[in-house]
């Protein structure tokens, strides 16, 4: 199937919310990791989301120029071609973009998609994220209002992060403390600024103790039940039940019960990066250790071309990462729920 149209992406999110499941949103940094994500979704019979962070886009742009827009556009164009060979719907998304990178990343991409839409085409990406969690909430929402209007014109959904997620993600760092919990007042102020869909659809990355990075279960105190409090608080004031489409950030090391509670309370998208990075790299490391005398020209020997051929270890990496995507789809209950 081709990359999801705006209409299909909206249907995907509506189905997830109604069915209390979520889509794995897999960060990719290359054609290899993209193919691994697509393979995992196909094997899980799950539609899904593929996303590119600012750091991922810079890497994709090549280390000579490190141009984020070039990198993101190049992989998105590749994805539009290659995804047609996979029997699932895939949405393209850009991950965390802080204020100092908006002009070099999200704004140009929004403008590009707006021009495509004016020409009768679909947008290049289906959603973009504005990460204003380092700003005051007032400043965060002011920028979000501007971006939401531009996204609406381009038939794109905006993701907003209104309060901090702990840890570090592509240079955006927040301390792990009691501020990692969104309040009902934060949620109400968000609706007052962005509306309830009439100004454009948006996804909400609310904080319930989430932390980016690698943590063993129990090391991070998640309160996914807080999402129900946010929905209920806004519903009581504005009269719309379950108003938010929530995003789960920093989910590495989360328990199965924490994930299920988040799903029951309105999470439709869960970002997965750390775990898939490891899944991709682990078999490569194993191959290099097991075949060190082949991948290295030890003591003046010629090595083993079949051992150091990138396709040899690249296939192992793809298989391993795809398997981790399959696990994610099962955990998030999107497996078997693809649009027919």
């Amino acid at each position: 199937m081709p990359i999801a149209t705006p209409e299909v992406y909206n249907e995907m999110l509506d189905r997830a919310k109604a069915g209390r499941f979520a889509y794995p949103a897999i960060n990719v940094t290359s054609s290899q990791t993209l193919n691994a994500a697509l393979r995992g979704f196909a094997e899980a019979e799950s539609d899904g989301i593929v996303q590119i962070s600012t750091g991922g886009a810079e890497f994709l742009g090549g280390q000579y120029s490190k141009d984020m827009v070039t990198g993101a556009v190049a992989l998105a164009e590749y994805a539009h071609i290659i995804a047609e060979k996979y029997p699932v719907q895939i949405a393209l998304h850009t991950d965390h973009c802080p204020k100092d990178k908006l002009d070099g990343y999200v704004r140009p991409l929004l403008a590009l998609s707006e021009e495509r839409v004016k020409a009768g085409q679909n947008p290049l990406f289906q959603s973009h994220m504005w990460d204003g969690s380092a700003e005051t909430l007032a400043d965060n929402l002011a920028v979000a209002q501007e971006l939401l209007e531009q996204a609406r014109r381009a038939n794109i959904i905006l993701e907003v992060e209104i309060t901090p997620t702990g840890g570090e993600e592509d240079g955006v760092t927040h301390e792990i403390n009691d501020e990692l919990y969104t309040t009902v007042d934060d949620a109400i102020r968000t609706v007052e600024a962005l509306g309830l869909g009439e100004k454009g659809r948006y996804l909400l990355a609310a904080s319930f103790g989430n932390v980016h990075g690698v943590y063993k279960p129990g090391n991070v105190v998640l309160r996914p039940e807080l999402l129900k409090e946010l929905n209920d608080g806004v519903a009581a004031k504005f009269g719309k039940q379950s108003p938010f489409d929530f995003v789960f950030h920093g989910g590495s090391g989360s328990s199965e019960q924490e994930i299920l509670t988040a799903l029951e309370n309105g999470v439709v998208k869960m970002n997965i990066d750390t775990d898939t990075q490891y899944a991709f790299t682990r078999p490569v490391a194993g191959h290099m250790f097991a075949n060190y005398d082949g991948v290295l020209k030890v003591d003046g020997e010629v090595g083993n071309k079949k051992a150091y051929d990138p396709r040899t270890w690249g296939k192992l990496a793809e298989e391993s990462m795809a398997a981790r995507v399959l696990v994610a789809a099962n955990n998030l209950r999107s497996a078997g729920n693809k649009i027919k």
Side-chain angles (χ1 to χ4, degrees), residues 145-312:
Q145 285 178 310
E146 170 228 324
L147 294 174
L148 184 61
E149 170 57 23
Q150 190 175 3
R152 185 192 62 77
R153 295 197 303 266
N155 290 339
I156 284 173
I157 294 171
L158 184 70
E159 179 181 331
V160 295
E161 182 167 347
I162 56 170
T163 46
T165 295
E168 187 272 335
E169 177 82 1
D170 268 357
V172 179
T173 303
H174 294 293
E175 291 185 10
I176 302 172
N177 54 35
D178 290 341
E179 294 183 3
L180 304 183
Y181 300 93
T182 302
T183 67
V184 171
D185 182 63
D186 296 330
I188 289 173
R189 290 176 63 186
T190 299
V191 172
E192 289 173 342
L194 305 183
L196 289 166
E198 72 280 3
K199 298 180 181 179
R201 188 168 190 172
Y202 60 93
L203 306 174
L204 181 63
S207 307
F208 50 97
N210 323 56
V211 177
H212 291 126
V214 186
Y215 295 90
K216 293 182 179 179
N219 284 24
V220 174
V221 182
L222 289 178
R223 291 178 50 213
E225 64 278 2
L226 175 65
L227 300 178
K228 184 177 187 304
E229 297 176 21
L230 302 182
N231 264 333
D232 290 349
V234 168
K237 183 173 178 64
F238 296 96
K240 181 177 180 179
Q241 298 302 309
S242 300
F244 292 122
D245 300 323
F246 286 119
V247 180
F248 189 157
H249 284 240
S252 297
S254 301
S255 70
E256 182 177 341
Q257 185 54 55
E258 288 168 336
I259 292 173
L260 292 178
T261 301
L263 298 180
E264 291 297 324
N265 290 324
V267 165
V268 296
K269 172 179 180 280
M270 179 174 172
N271 290 10
I272 300 171
D273 187 16
T274 302
D275 289 350
T276 46
Q277 285 179 342
Y278 180 78
F280 186 85
T281 301
R282 177 63 184 85
V284 178
H287 174 81
M288 298 304 172
F289 279 122
N291 299 279
Y292 76 94
D293 54 345
V295 298
L296 299 175
K297 296 182 179 181
V298 178
D299 295 332
E301 294 296 324
V302 296
N304 180 349
K305 184 180 184 303
K306 289 185 178 180
Y308 59 74
D309 185 334
R311 291 171 294 184
T312 301

Side-chain angles (χ1 to χ4, degrees), residues 6-56:
E7 294 76 20
V8 169
Y9 190 31
N10 276 282
E11 181 184 354
M12 286 169 57
L13 296 173
D14 290 342
R15 292 179 75 250
K17 191 169 186 177
R20 299 187 186 280
F21 66 89
Y23 297 105
I26 308 299
N27 282 66
V28 298
T29 55
S30 65
S31 59
Q32 278 187 297
T33 51
L34 171 64
N35 279 316
L38 295 176
R39 176 178 172 181
F41 285 126
E43 292 178 350
E45 297 187 349
S46 167
D47 300 318
I49 299 169
V50 167
Q51 57 190 26
I52 307 170
S53 67
T54 55

